[in-house]
Amino acid sequence: MSELAIKGGPPVRTKPFPEWPIYDECEERALLEVLRSRKWWYGEKVREFEEKFASYQDARFGITTTSGTTALQVALTAAGIGAGDEVIVPPYTFVATASAVLTVNAIPVFVDIDRDTLNLDPDAVRKAITDKTKAIIPVHFAGYPADMDELGDIAREHDLVVIEDACHAWGTDYKGRKVGAIGDMGVFSFQVSKNMTSSEGGIILTDDEELADLCRSYSNCGRGKDKPWYEHYLLGGNYRMTEFQAAILLCQLRRLDDQVTRRMESARVLDDGLGKIEGIELLQQEPKGKRRSYHLYCFRYVPERFGGVSRDKFIEALNAEGIPASPGYPFPLYRNPLFGRKGEGPKYCPLSCPYYGKEMDYTKVCCSNAEQACREMVWLPQNVLLGTEEDMEDIVRAVRKLREHAGELKD
Ligand SMILES: Cc1ncc(COP(=O)(O)O)c(C=O)c1O
């Protein structure tokens, strides 16, 4: 019988990795406290969390929302992005990075990622700028910071707004400063898979008081700062976080820094072990001393150098060995049916919007590094990285085992 678990052999591990989400008496007490106080609505806990999270991420202001998606929408609205504007986004990301742009009636322009970081490639960004470009949304993918210096230079040269999509990057720093308010604004998600969570939730960070006030108003029914509750100044929505969510997040924030350290230590063990296996390529390594959230641990799988075993088969075999790896995004975001929609008449803004005056045809977009990443990446989720050093060694052992038995895995 083969030694491979996929062929009936004993798996490398049967023990589960740490469960997610994590909670303890802190969340239990905090939830009961809010419940019993009967103060359930957008109050002290929300304010406390906004201040503490903003300060943790080196930002002056924090404005909570219902999700990372609504945080992006509010930030774009506050930045004045609207009909006829182009916004540069990467194609290797969750749908919201681009769909939020459509929601405010603007046009997402997909620009390729750098092969070694999976983040927006500044050279490609430069080439994509037109007279309609108004903003850039760099994603700090998997928690690796985007090239904020280069993107900042481009933004200054062309008078563009930078909104960081930091929905993978709680605790990540860039050259000694945490991400989120390095650009004009930054948004974070607290959805249940995220490294800190209240099931759903989001926040916008900024150092700019005027933008902070606009975000507050747009996320709270267009109300004015220190104005009566029935006075509405802007076309806002109700994107308010509850006191229950903020109470949970205050507990999650207390654990975050230690968890960031743990994940970084795990990533180092994985880098050391996986980096030595033929057919596995690591992404760009962190300069020493940098903090990175590791929402995902990603590596590149090159079938031709792994005995010709397809990535799907590799992942299936890895799963059978007890390692919860996945292929991640199956194709770049622009190939989603959402972006193929057309011909819905002149009323269909933004893609057929008369303000735009141009045609955007996403079927013609091809970002080769993003395409390649979708074919080659393997992801491990953040909770796996909360395991012990031995747990990480199991992952390395499992990949090594597949490499040694690659001949048995060929389709
Ligand atoms: C990169 C990125 N941006 C935005 C979002 C949207 O966050 P939410 O799910 O809280 O709306 C996500 C969530 O998965 C994300 O991964």
Side-chain angles (χ1 to χ4, degrees), residues 42 52 57 81 90 105 207 211 217 233 264 289 293 354 360 404:
Y42 206 51
K52 288 197 166 145
Q57 290 290 147
I81 306 300
N105 266 329
D207 278 351
L211 286 173
S217 179
Y233 296 85
M264 286 174 60
S293 65
M360 171 56 84
E404 280 158 16

Side-chain angles (χ1 to χ4, degrees), residues 67-70 72 93-94 96-97 139 165 167-168 189-191 194 200-201 329:
S67 66
T69 303
T70 52
L72 277 164
T93 182
F94 181 70
T97 314
V139 176
D165 183 335
C167 287
H168 292 183
S189 163
F190 305 119
Q191 181 265 347
K194 301 306 196 296
E200 298 286 359
Y329 304 130

